[in-house]
Amino acid sequence: MNTIPRDFDPIPSTRYQVRVAVVSLKQAADEADALAVPVAAGVEPPEELGTDLAGLESAGFTGKRGQTLVLPRADGPVRVAVGIGERGETDPALVRDLAAEFARAVPWHRKLAIEVASEGFGVSVADFAQAVTEGVLLARWRYFVGRDAEQPPLESLLIVASDDDTAAAEIGAERGRIVATACSLGRDLANCPATTLSAVRMAEVAVEVGGASGLEVEVFDKDQLIAMGCGGLLGVNRGSVEPPRMVRLRYQPADPTGRIALIGKGIMYDSGGISLKPSDESHAQMKNDMTGAAAVLASMTALRDLGCTAAVTGYLMCTDNMPSGSAMKLGDVLTMRNGTTVEVLNTDAEGRLVMADALALATEEPVDAIVDIATLTGACLRTFGVEIAGVMGNNPAVVEQLRRAGDSVDEPVWELPLHRSYRSQLESTIADMTNMGGINAGSITAALFLEEFVAGLPWAHVDIAGTAQLPAPRTWRNKGATGFGTKLLIEFALRFAAPKDGAA
Ligand code: BES
Ligand code: MN
Ligand code: ZN
C-alpha cells in the first residue's frame, strides 16, 4: 500500500539472540568483559572486586541500593560494584533491577557476567537466574534503525553458578531469556513507526512470529470483517487508506486447565480521526496505540516454551484512526458484531469501538475469562501516571489474578471501580449507546462501554494508556514505547485458574 524510500524491519531486536549460559567463575573470568560484584552497604566487599571498603568510599560508592561503580582493571573483566543496600528483605524484582543497573553501567561491554547470589537475596537459584536474565537483556534492549543497527548491543550473559546450582540456574536463565525475548518483541512493535507497521504488516509479523512459536494464526481482511459484521473495526478504519486486519491467535495445549481470551487494541496510529488530536507530545506518541495488541501477540509467543497449561485465544484489532473524506462523521451510527448500535460522538474514542467487536467474538466460544488490554484513555494516564496500569472488571477473581500477576512481574495494575451508575453517561437518543462519556471518570465510562459486549462472562479490562510510554529509562524499563503488558499477560496465563462464581 505505502511506498516509502527506505523501508526497514519492524522488529529488528528479535533478529539476534543473546547467548545466555551458566558457567564457572573461571570461565566467566576468561570470557566476560564485565563482571558484577554485589556489595552491601558499609561492609567489606568480596575479594574479587580488587579493592576494599575504604577504596570504594573514596570513590563515593557507599553500597546504596542500585548504585554502581566501574573499576578499571589491567587484566580480565572489569569489575562493577553493584550496591545492594542493607541485606535482608528482597525479592526477584530487586534482583532484576540491580542486574539492569549493572548492565546500564557498562553500556559498551558485550559479554557480561553475574554470579548467582541467591541466598543473600532470599530468592531461589532459578528465580535469581531468571530475574538477572530479564534485567540484563531488557536493560540492554534497544530499538534502532540507523547506521550501526546491525551491531548487537549485547552478545552474551554468563551466569556464574556452583556445580550444585547449575541445573536450577539453567532453568531460570532459560525462562528469563524466553520472557525477555517476548518483551523485546512487544517493545519493537510498539516503537516501530506507524507507516512501517501498518495493520497489514502487523498481521504479517503475527503470522511469522506466531507460527514460529507454535500458535495457530488466522488473519481476517476487510471483506471477511464485513461478512462477520465487525462494524466497530470497520468504522474506525473508514478514514484510512490502509486496510484493517483482525488477527486471531490460538495456543492450544494438550489438556487445557482453563480457557482464556486476550484482546488487544491495535490502533496502529491514532490521529483522533475527524476529532483530530492537537499536534502535541501525546499525539506524537500515538504510534504506540497498538501496545495492547503488541502485548497480546508478544506474550502468546512465550506460552509454549514456558509450558503454559491454559488454552489462550488472542485477538488483535488492527487499523489506523485517520481523518479523511471517507472517515466516520460525528453522529454516525455503527452496528457492532453483537448487533449493538453505537452513535459516534467523538471519533477519538475509537479504541472501545474496535475492542467491542472482539469482545463479542470472544463470547461466542467457550471461555473461562476474557481479558482486554488497551491504551484506552488519557484519563488513566492522569490517574495513575506512567508506572501503574488501571484494571476494571465484572469478576473479582479475574481482577485479582491480574493484580497478583502484575505484582510478581513488576508491571503493576491497580483497580478502579466499575461503578454502574455512570453507565447513564453513555445513553444515546438514537442508538443503543454512544461512544462518549462525560469529561469525568473517563477510564470508568470507557470500561462500562466495553462491558456491554462481554455477555456477562468473567471479564477484566486493563488500561495501559499511562504505562505504554516512559519519558526516561529506569532499571530494566526503557524510554519511549514500553510494550507494557507482555510480562503481565504471560504471568496471568501461566497462573490462570478459572474463576468460580466470582470468588477470588
Ligand atoms: N489512544 C487514546 C488514549 C491515550 C491518550 C493513550 C493519551 C495514551 C496517551 C484514545 O484513543 C483516546 O483518544 N481517548 C480519548 C477518549 C475520549 C475522546 C472519550 C481520551 O482519552 O481523551
Ligand atoms: Mn483516540
Ligand atoms: Zn486510541
Side-chain angles (χ1 to χ4, degrees), residues 265 270 272 277 289 321 347-351 376:
K265 172 175 171 181
D270 181 12
K277 288 181 185 295
D289 210 20
N321 182 27
T347 63
D348 200 9
E350 84 297 339
L376 207 61

Short mmCIF file of all heavy atoms in Angstrom, two decimals, residues 265 270 272 277 289 321 347-351 376, ligand 2:
data_model
loop_
_atom_site.label_atom_id
_atom_site.label_comp_id
_atom_site.label_asym_id
_atom_site.label_seq_id
_atom_site.Cartn_x
_atom_site.Cartn_y
_atom_site.Cartn_z
N LYS A 265 -5.94 -3.87 21.78
CA LYS A 265 -6.22 -2.71 20.93
C LYS A 265 -5.05 -2.51 19.99
O LYS A 265 -3.92 -2.32 20.42
CB LYS A 265 -6.43 -1.46 21.79
CG LYS A 265 -6.55 -0.15 20.99
CD LYS A 265 -6.89 1.05 21.88
CE LYS A 265 -6.78 2.37 21.11
NZ LYS A 265 -7.08 3.55 21.96
N ASP A 270 -3.13 6.63 16.06
CA ASP A 270 -4.37 7.29 16.45
C ASP A 270 -4.24 8.80 16.29
O ASP A 270 -3.72 9.49 17.17
CB ASP A 270 -4.71 6.94 17.91
CG ASP A 270 -6.02 7.58 18.36
OD1 ASP A 270 -6.76 8.11 17.50
OD2 ASP A 270 -6.30 7.54 19.58
N GLY A 272 -6.83 10.57 16.04
CA GLY A 272 -8.10 11.08 16.58
C GLY A 272 -9.21 11.01 15.54
O GLY A 272 -10.38 11.07 15.88
N LYS A 277 -6.62 15.08 16.97
CA LYS A 277 -5.84 15.45 18.15
C LYS A 277 -4.99 16.68 17.83
O LYS A 277 -4.55 16.85 16.69
CB LYS A 277 -4.90 14.30 18.53
CG LYS A 277 -5.58 13.09 19.14
CD LYS A 277 -4.53 12.03 19.49
CE LYS A 277 -5.16 10.74 19.99
NZ LYS A 277 -5.88 10.88 21.25
N ASP A 289 -0.33 3.27 19.94
CA ASP A 289 -1.71 2.99 20.34
C ASP A 289 -2.11 1.54 20.02
O ASP A 289 -3.27 1.16 20.16
CB ASP A 289 -2.66 3.99 19.66
CG ASP A 289 -3.91 4.28 20.48
OD1 ASP A 289 -3.88 4.04 21.70
OD2 ASP A 289 -4.91 4.73 19.89
N ASN A 321 -6.44 5.14 12.80
CA ASN A 321 -7.61 6.02 13.00
C ASN A 321 -7.26 7.36 12.36
O ASN A 321 -6.48 8.13 12.91
CB ASN A 321 -7.89 6.19 14.50
CG ASN A 321 -9.12 7.05 14.77
OD1 ASN A 321 -10.03 7.11 13.94
ND2 ASN A 321 -9.15 7.70 15.93
N THR A 347 -14.73 10.76 17.36
CA THR A 347 -14.02 9.70 16.64
C THR A 347 -12.69 9.35 17.33
O THR A 347 -12.05 8.37 16.97
CB THR A 347 -13.73 10.09 15.18
OG1 THR A 347 -12.87 11.24 15.16
CG2 THR A 347 -15.01 10.38 14.42
N ASP A 348 -12.29 10.15 18.32
CA ASP A 348 -11.06 9.84 19.07
C ASP A 348 -11.31 8.80 20.16
O ASP A 348 -10.37 8.29 20.74
CB ASP A 348 -10.48 11.13 19.67
CG ASP A 348 -9.01 11.00 20.03
OD1 ASP A 348 -8.40 9.98 19.65
OD2 ASP A 348 -8.49 11.91 20.69
N ALA A 349 -12.57 8.48 20.43
CA ALA A 349 -12.87 7.37 21.35
C ALA A 349 -13.03 6.12 20.49
O ALA A 349 -14.10 5.48 20.45
CB ALA A 349 -14.10 7.67 22.17
N GLU A 350 -11.96 5.79 19.74
CA GLU A 350 -12.01 4.72 18.74
C GLU A 350 -11.64 3.36 19.31
O GLU A 350 -12.06 2.33 18.78
CB GLU A 350 -11.08 5.06 17.56
CG GLU A 350 -9.60 4.69 17.74
CD GLU A 350 -8.90 5.42 18.88
OE1 GLU A 350 -9.38 6.47 19.29
OE2 GLU A 350 -7.87 4.91 19.36
N GLY A 351 -10.84 3.36 20.38
CA GLY A 351 -10.35 2.10 20.91
C GLY A 351 -11.49 1.18 21.32
O GLY A 351 -11.54 0.00 20.98
N LEU A 376 -6.36 2.93 26.35
CA LEU A 376 -7.73 3.36 26.07
C LEU A 376 -8.03 4.81 26.41
O LEU A 376 -8.69 5.49 25.63
CB LEU A 376 -8.72 2.44 26.79
CG LEU A 376 -10.09 2.35 26.10
CD1 LEU A 376 -9.97 1.78 24.70
CD2 LEU A 376 -11.08 1.53 26.91
MN MN B 2 -8.28 8.08 20.30
#
